[in-house]
């Protein structure tokens, strides 16, 4: 029997004329999160459509096609856990899969679960406006099409609003230039003079990957990041069989760790372990695959300045060992923050790229860029000419994809304006004044700082539970109270204070020199760890969804 659709509670919601299409639920975004949201809603026979701005599914993995783009989550911890069929049929070929493989995986899932027919591609949303009287959202696309829905679910991605640098003359360059997020098809790099601006995780992957292919590569570095080896390797058929047989254990392990990875903090106290033993652990972690070096280390490294300084010195030594020219090595060692305070890029031969004769590092702290001009980039030191300029300059993180849509709640209140100084949410799920607008892995949720698929599976299930509860009570509207929202937002701020991450000047704290008003810390992320986040949200659910108002 078809489940009772939310709109059946109030047939007037079906009103609408002409080109307006109504669905009970509209999901924004057909990436990893939107796809799972769709699957869950289809399971309850809901009337749902997904609106995706791009020409195909995959979100982050559809868009990021730059050379070297790959996971730094272990592949088998990144796949969906909910489908036994998918788990038994799909084989990963590398411990950290490349972007093409991940995109193939998502396409395979969509085909296996028959999701495509519910997704409308090329549907870029310009606004979403709530009608208080009808309890109805109207979603308008840039091409003028309109949809109405009772519940609007945002699966907009964390890093999907790319930002180019604010450098004078950026539009005057006569060669080819693009942001890594918009890497054009068919770019030929061999024999080309290439610039890369930016040394975050993306820049590090691009630089390592293209250094040997290009004629010359100049890296423009504002500030270095602490990088560590990915230590990737192929997965053999036998290994994959073994992984397949261990999925229950793998996902339990991910559930038990703060980051949702297989790597959890070392249970010992940094100070109680003798220095030689600490070093032995670090040597092991440095040679091991994945984020163990960051997340499988002593907790104090992320909380205590002295512990952090000692470990940072260890990583600095490694950089010096790997980079031939001591002056270049010195430029690659961060001075303004310790290891792990910003997002740690995992790399493959990144530092070795600087030992190549065709690669040059420009330290913008000493010789800033003055302008980009027709032939290249001019710093305070000299002019560099290029065929290609690559902007690996990051994103308007977490809230950027929301800000691009004019979301209006009760009384026309603007989400963009409400969040001007940073997001305000209850549990990272809803915003006061925006009834029936639900975020699947939005700001202030655990998805932002942890292994994304593990976190969004929880968030999607939790939101499904909230919807089921609302329907079960015969209600058609839910929103958080102002008090609950203020309390949660304060909690997010307070959690930041417990970690050295509070000192980050990266997207973790929403600081971005290329965006107006983003020069102060924005509290974007739930930093209390995934298990605690899940516990809190489950308690809220068990307590009749305290903090939410149903009507
Ligand atoms: P990030 O991590 O935000 O890195 C952006 C980089 O671009 C970073 O090195 C910035 O330097 C640099 N940047 C930004 N503006 C400029 C200007 N104007 N001039 C020179 N350099 C600039 O983005 P990514 O794409 O690398 O990674 C994002 C996430 O994707 C990553 O964390 C993973 O989770 C996946 P700065 O750090 O400000 O000194």
């Amino acid at each position: 029997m078809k489940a009772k659709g939310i709109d059946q509670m109030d047939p007037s919601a079906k009103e609408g004329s002409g080109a307006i299409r109504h669905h009970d639920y509209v999901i924004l975004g057909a990436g990893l999160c939107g796809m799972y949201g769709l699957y869950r809603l289809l399971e309850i026979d809901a009337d749902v459509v997904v609106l995706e701005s791009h020409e195909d599914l995959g979100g982050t993995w559809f868009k990021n096609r730059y050379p070297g783009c790959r996971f730094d989550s272990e592949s088998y911890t990144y796949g969906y856990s909910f489908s036994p069929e998918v788990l038994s049929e799909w084989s990963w070929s590398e411990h950290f899969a490349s972007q093409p493989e991940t995109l193939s995986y998502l396409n395979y899932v969509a085909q296996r679960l028959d999701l495509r027919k519910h997704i409308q591609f090329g549907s870029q949303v310009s606004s979403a406006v709530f009608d208080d009287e009808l309890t109805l959202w109207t979603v308008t696309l840039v091409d003028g099409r309109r949809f109405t829905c009772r519940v609007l679910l945002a699966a907009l991605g964390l890093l999907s609003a790319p930002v180019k640098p604010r450098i004078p003359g950026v539009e005057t360059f006569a060669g080819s230039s693009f942001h890594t997020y918009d890497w054009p098809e068919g770019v030929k790099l061999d024999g080309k003079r290439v610039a890369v601006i930016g040394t975050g995780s993306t820049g590090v992957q691009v630089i390592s990957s293209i250094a040997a292919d290009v004629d010359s590569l100049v890296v423009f570095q504002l500030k270095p990041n602490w990088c560590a080896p990915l230590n990737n390797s192929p997965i053999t058929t036998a290994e994959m069989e073994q992984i397949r047989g261990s999925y229950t254990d793998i996902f339990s392990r991910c559930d038990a760790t703060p980051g949702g990875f297989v790597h959890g903090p070392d249970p010992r106290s940094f100070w109680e372990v003798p220095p030689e033993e600490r070093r032995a652990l670090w040597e092991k972690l440095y040679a091991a695959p994945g984020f163990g070096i960051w997340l499988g280390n002593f907790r104090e490294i992320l909380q205590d300045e002295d512990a952090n300084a000692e470990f940072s010195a260890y990583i600095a030594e490694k950089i010096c060992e790997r980079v031939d020219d001591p002056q270049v090595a010195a430029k690659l060692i961060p001075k303004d923050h310790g290891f792990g305070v910003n997002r740690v890029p995992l790399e493959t031969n990144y530092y070795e790229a600087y030992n190549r004769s065709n690669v040059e590092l420009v330290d913008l702290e000493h010789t800033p860029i003055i302008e980009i001009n027709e032939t290249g980039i001019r710093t305070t030191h000299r002019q560099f000419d290029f065929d290609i300029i690559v902007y690996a300059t990051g994103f308007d993180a977490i809230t950027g994809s929301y800000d691009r849509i004019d979301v209006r709640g009760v009384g026309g209140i603007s989400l963009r304006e409400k969040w001007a100084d940073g997001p305000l949410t209850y549990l990272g799920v809803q915003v006061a004044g925006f009834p029936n607008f639900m975020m699947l892995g939005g700001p202030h949720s655990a998805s932002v700082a942890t292994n994304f698929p593990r976190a969004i599976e929880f968030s999607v299930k939790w939101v499904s539970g909230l919807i089921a509860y609302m329907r079960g009570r015969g209600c058609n509207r839910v929103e958080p109270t102002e008090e609950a929202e203020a309390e949660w937002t304060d909690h997010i701020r307070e959690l930041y204070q417990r970690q050295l991450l509070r000192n980050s000047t990266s997207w973790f704290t929403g600081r971005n020199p290329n965006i107006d008003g983003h020069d102060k810390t924005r509290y974007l992320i739930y930093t209390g760890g995934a298990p605690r986040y899940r516990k809190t949200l489950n308690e809220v659910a068990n307590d009749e969804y305290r903090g939410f108002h149903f009507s």
Side-chain angles (χ1 to χ4, degrees), residues 159 165 197-203 222-223 343 364 392-395 507 513-514:
L159 298 159
I197 303 183
T199 51
S201 307
T202 304
L222 212 49
K223 284 184 258 87
R343 208 291 202 174
L364 297 179
T393 43
F395 298 87
W507 65 266
N514 307 306

Side-chain angles (χ1 to χ4, degrees), residues 225-272:
N225 275 299
W226 294 102
C227 309
L230 176 65
N231 294 315
N232 190 20
S233 59
I235 296 178
T236 62
T237 311
E239 243 179 323
M240 193 60 227
E241 277 319 305
Q242 202 254 327
I243 289 167
R244 233 189 285 285
S246 323
Y247 269 129
T248 310
D249 291 343
I250 290 169
F251 292 129
S252 306
R253 170 75 185 146
C254 292
D255 275 352
T257 64
F261 291 92
V262 285
H263 315 282
D266 193 291
R268 299 169 296 171
S269 157
F270 180 95
W271 303 113
E272 282 166 13

Side-chain angles (χ1 to χ4, degrees), residues 228-231 263-264 266 278-298 301 311 314:
L230 176 65
N231 294 315
H263 315 282
D266 193 291
R278 296 205 281 262
R279 197 165 170 108
L281 172 71
W282 297 341
E283 288 290 319
K284 203 169 110 201
L285 291 175
Y286 200 80
F291 274 137
I293 192 96
W294 190 18
L295 307 174
N297 218 317
F298 301 102
I301 286 174
F311 183 64
Y314 167 81

Side-chain angles (χ1 to χ4, degrees), residues 118-150:
H118 305 280
I119 307 173
Q120 299 214 1
F121 297 107
S123 299
Q124 193 182 339
V125 175
S126 59
S127 69
V129 179
F130 184 68
D131 185 322
D132 200 12
E133 239 169 72
L134 294 177
T135 308
L136 201 68
W137 282 94
T138 300
V139 177
T140 305
L141 309 189
V142 290
D143 61 14
R145 279 180 292 152
R146 284 201 283 167
F147 292 79
T148 55
C149 62
R150 182 70 84 195

